[in-house]
Amino acid sequence: MKRFIKNFAIYLVIFAVVLGVAFFYKGADGAKKTAEVKFSTFATHLEKGKYKTINITDRKMTATLKNGNKEYAYAPSVVEISWLENSYVFPQVKSGKLKLSSDPPQSSVNFFSLLPTIIMVVALGFLFYFMMSQGGNNKAFQFGKNRAKLYKENGKNIRFADVAGLKEEKEELEEIVDFLKNPSKYSNLGARIPKGVLLVGNPGTGKTYISRATAGEAGVPFFTISGSDFVEMFVGVGASRVRDLFDQAKKNAPCIIFIDEIDAVGRKRGAGLGGGNDEREQTLNQLLVEMDGFDGNSGIIILAATNRPDVLDPALLRPGRFDRQIVIGMPDVKAREEIFKVHTKNKPLADDVTIEILARRTPGFSPADIENLVNEAALLTARRNGTKIRMDEIEEATTKVMAGPAKKSRVISEAERKLTAYHEAGHAIVMKAIPNSDPVHQITIIPRGMAGGFTMSLPEDEKFFMTKGDMVNMIKHLLGGRVAEELKLDDISTGASNDLERATAIARQMITKYGFSSKLGPVSFSSSDEVFLGKDFSTRQNYSEETASEIDAEIKHILESCYEATTNILKENDEAFERVAQALLLIETLDGEQFNDLYDGKVTPEELAENVKARDEQIAELNKAEAKESERLEEERRQEAEERLKELQSVIVGDLKFEDSTFAEENKPTVKKDLEKPSEEEQTNSNVGWPAEAEEEPKDAEIEADADTDADASKEAAPESKDEYKNDTETDKE
């Protein structure tokens, strides 16, 4: 900021000097000018013979009066100069009363008239050169320079030990780091380290995070840049930035270049929009040449990340460029447990929270989802002024991350509540009745997001493959709501539209992608082509119209058979179905344990409602007590801080009073008044305004001893508040 102000001031001074010089020369020309008069006045003076000399040039007339003054006028376009000359000028010239003259035509350029323009051009040239010579002020002119940032050690580096899970992935990257540290170990064996490593995975799986850990472990220059930083509206800029990046990397070899979201610049060439000569393809071509061209880039390792490996150009993925692909998948239950431990390390958890249970209840969650879940739970705890995160907050945070916040204030008619209750109860009963289905975790009729209600199931074990029976059961689960509406309400609604879409998509995949149809056989009818910018706009249908008709018939057959089976399941479990629906109308939300009790007939909806009401009242009382305790601790911390400040001020003022007796005697009234009523400024900084000879800071040992004494006193006054204070502070930080 200071540098900007300095340069701006210099530019302003230069501009003021240029304007001053220009106005000086303009003023010098203006000093020769005489008074301007109207043409009628000029003609009157000429008629009366008041002029000694007259100069007529074009339509400008300049005359000298007999008293020596000069004046000039311009003849209007409607007046002929010859008339004025014949009527007044020539007769007086003949009589000798007036002298006539005229300026010669300008045949050459007047240097002095061009001098202001020359000075302005020279000054602007100097100004432009000065701006270009400034390192931080020429970004607008450095289009072809790369925008890579050099990763610097700042004492907060991320190491592989900080990355939870991803054991095999870290081993692959540790090999790269070891090569950069001990290249002779591999060169003696004739081994060649991979030139490029591509990190592939879904969003939020930790690709960028593990690359930062690689930078922390490597101990070599680490350049980071995004794929979009190469893209520019000007032709040739992207390729220029690639060249500049590798030139800079060669100067700092051995080093690592990390390109995040490389799919922005590495998409397939030669199809779709843009043809084969657009700016993006030129940038990609230059990147291909730099990675594996005639000039070797020994000691430079390219590290890239993307969640769209399917759109990358094949030339980019061949050996010699990106030799190795590391897939960063979704964490399993063990990895999720480690991730939960990392993100809950500095958060106070209640006794009912168990990390192992949290890991089992969050299948399919990415590390980013888990971090967001824990943060949402902390925010919910702070909302009720709590001091520890309970399992209730974590459950609510999980549901909030998956389905959105609850909209309890939405006004819903009783008919719609009844429809939603039977709809969600139908889903839950079908899940429970079908063997080997995932257990029901939560049922609610409270709107969340775009859904009027939902039924959540959590798998007990990790599944990496789906069988034909599993997919058929999924279709039955989805159709449970639609069948329940038809059985209980004698009508159907639009609430099952999303269920039908998902069920139809599963059935179509069974037939066209996985070959589960006994009629069509083990044949795949799906196209692998995907429509996206940079590829074809349409996909080919690689089967006949007769086959398409048979596919539609098979899909319809699967859906109809599942619909019939779902109807039978709900009819067989009608009593449990009714109990679950009535309980949803009473308490709106059921967890897995409550649902199982209702399904087995262990509790009636009315009894469950009473139990829930009593539990809610108990939790409300507990929340009030915890909120009061939090306020009390906050007040104690505030009072302790104020007391320590006052005691520290008294120590400083007392030392000054008793150590400098001469100053106390000379200024006794003033000092007494100041000590009796210290001002706010003196309370903040009590030594402000004291003379130089009276300034003496108290010794650090004395202040530290006093602070320790205060800390001990506060500890004896409130021995149990230390842990609570620590926990509450950590909660506030989160």
Side-chain angles (χ1 to χ4, degrees), residues 123-134:
L124 290 176
F126 174 76
L127 187 64
F128 182 78
Y129 173 78
F130 190 76
M131 291 176 62
M132 291 289 293
S133 63
Q134 301 297 312

Side-chain angles (χ1 to χ4, degrees), residues 288-308:
L288 296 175
V289 172
E290 293 291 345
M291 291 185 67
D292 189 23
F294 286 101
D295 297 331
N297 293 325
S298 59
I300 301 176
I301 295 177
I302 312 298
L303 194 64
T306 181
N307 51 25
R308 293 296 306 276

Side-chain angles (χ1 to χ4, degrees), residues 611-676:
N611 296 336
V612 172
K613 183 178 179 181
R615 182 176 178 272
D616 292 342
E617 292 177 354
Q618 184 180 1
I619 293 176
E621 293 295 330
L622 183 62
N623 292 341
K624 289 181 181 180
E626 193 171 350
K628 289 182 180 180
E629 181 66 15
S630 178
E631 293 177 357
R632 185 187 66 82
L633 293 176
E634 184 66 27
E635 182 66 21
E636 287 183 357
R637 288 192 295 270
R638 186 184 64 81
Q639 292 179 358
E640 290 177 1
E642 291 179 354
E643 291 176 358
R644 290 197 61 185
L645 179 61
K646 291 180 180 179
E647 292 176 359
L648 184 62
Q649 291 172 355
S650 64
V651 171
I652 296 174
V653 175
D655 291 342
L656 291 173
K657 178 179 177 181
F658 295 106
E659 290 178 5
D660 197 341
S661 59
T662 304
F663 178 81
E665 290 293 331
E666 293 177 354
N667 303 274
K668 186 175 181 180
T670 305
V671 174
K672 183 178 180 182
K673 182 178 179 181
D674 293 341
L675 290 177
E676 289 177 352

Side-chain angles (χ1 to χ4, degrees), residues 190 313 330 367 396 434 447 459 519 592 670 717:
D313 195 277
M330 290 294 183
E396 175 63 23
I434 296 177
K519 184 178 181 180
T670 305

Side-chain angles (χ1 to χ4, degrees), residues 538-714:
S538 61
T539 57
R540 300 190 308 271
Q541 181 176 306
N542 51 7
Y543 46 86
S544 64
E545 294 297 330
E546 291 80 4
T547 303
S549 178
E550 293 180 358
I551 291 173
D552 294 339
E554 282 291 291
I555 294 173
K556 185 179 180 182
H557 172 71
I558 292 175
L559 293 175
E560 288 180 346
S561 61
C562 291
Y563 195 92
E564 184 179 356
T566 304
T567 303
N568 296 330
I569 291 173
L570 291 180
K571 288 181 178 180
E572 294 172 358
N573 299 273
D574 184 71
E575 295 182 359
F577 181 24
E578 192 66 33
R579 286 195 297 269
V580 173
Q582 294 300 323
L584 286 173
L585 291 173
L586 291 175
I587 61 176
E588 296 184 335
T589 301
L590 298 174
D591 58 23
E593 184 179 356
Q594 293 170 343
F595 168 74
N596 291 330
D597 291 341
L598 288 169
Y599 184 87
D600 297 333
K602 297 180 180 180
V603 65
T604 63
E606 291 76 13
E607 293 173 350
L608 182 61
E610 291 294 332
N611 296 336
V612 172
K613 183 178 179 181
R615 182 176 178 272
D616 292 342
E617 292 177 354
Q618 184 180 1
I619 293 176
E621 293 295 330
L622 183 62
N623 292 341
K624 289 181 181 180
E626 193 171 350
K628 289 182 180 180
E629 181 66 15
S630 178
E631 293 177 357
R632 185 187 66 82
L633 293 176
E634 184 66 27
E635 182 66 21
E636 287 183 357
R637 288 192 295 270
R638 186 184 64 81
Q639 292 179 358
E640 290 177 1
E642 291 179 354
E643 291 176 358
R644 290 197 61 185
L645 179 61
K646 291 180 180 179
E647 292 176 359
L648 184 62
Q649 291 172 355
S650 64
V651 171
I652 296 174
V653 175
D655 291 342
L656 291 173
K657 178 179 177 181
F658 295 106
E659 290 178 5
D660 197 341
S661 59
T662 304
F663 178 81
E665 290 293 331
E666 293 177 354
N667 303 274
K668 186 175 181 180
T670 305
V671 174
K672 183 178 180 182
K673 182 178 179 181
D674 293 341
L675 290 177
E676 289 177 352
K677 294 182 179 180
S679 62
E680 295 180 1
E681 184 178 359
E682 291 171 341
Q683 292 179 3
T684 305
N685 189 6
S686 61
N687 63 344
V688 175
W690 295 90
E693 62 271 11
E695 289 185 359
E696 183 175 351
E697 296 288 338
K699 297 180 179 180
D700 296 338
E702 296 176 355
I703 298 178
E704 291 177 359
D706 186 79
D708 294 337
T709 304
D710 297 336
D712 294 337
S714 62

